[in-house]
Amino acid sequence: MKLQQLVIVSAVFVWAAAPSIAIADEVWNSDYGRVVYESDRGKTAIWTYPSGTIFIEGLAGITSNRGIYHGYWVGKSNVKCDTSREDGSGKLSNTWGRFSIRFKVPNFPMPWEARWSYCESEPTFSWNGTPPKQSLLQR
């Protein structure tokens, strides 16, 4: 009887943790290096890439049927903005820009296409991400 309870509790735990595992495993190869879904803060997803951090409003906790989202990036740049945004360490930075993203497929793993800009300009520069050939969940 105790073994049966242990199996049931273990199954419930694995099922409850599954969405978190998917988020932790979200990694993309992109035009600007490896992009990693690091964490959520409220409704904002926080991603990192080699030169900085991307903050995407409304994406946190969404693991399927993703659409279009907006946010901003903060990172290394020669372009300085008149205003500042929070960077990945919580400090203010004046090297940032707008970021808009559209996921190409509804389910994991999800390639995406994005546009970005410097400062408050309309996003026009291209940024694409594709999942690696094999993720942890596919092993």
Side-chain angles (χ1 to χ4, degrees), residues 111-128:
W112 47 264
E113 57 187 12
R115 298 271 184 237
W116 64 275
S117 67
Y118 293 107
C119 309
E120 290 286 349
S121 298
E122 188 68 28
T124 56
F125 301 106
S126 179
W127 190 343
N128 295 290

Side-chain angles (χ1 to χ4, degrees), residues 55-127:
F55 298 85
I56 306 171
E57 296 292 323
L59 181 60
I62 307 297
T63 58
S64 63
N65 296 316
R66 292 175 174 167
I68 298 172
Y69 300 88
H70 306 283
Y72 67 95
W73 63 269
V74 178
K76 295 176 185 172
S77 173
N78 292 328
V79 177
K80 307 285 187 212
C81 305
D82 292 334
T83 57
S84 298
R85 292 285 179 118
E86 179 184 340
D87 69 9
S89 66
K91 297 178 183 174
L92 292 178
S93 173
N94 65 344
T95 55
W96 66 276
R98 292 171 57 189
F99 183 85
S100 295
I101 186 169
R102 181 182 72 83
F103 290 90
K104 294 180 175 184
V105 299
N107 297 310
F108 184 84
M110 301 170 187
W112 47 264
E113 57 187 12
R115 298 271 184 237
W116 64 275
S117 67
Y118 293 107
C119 309
E120 290 286 349
S121 298
E122 188 68 28
T124 56
F125 301 106
S126 179
W127 190 343

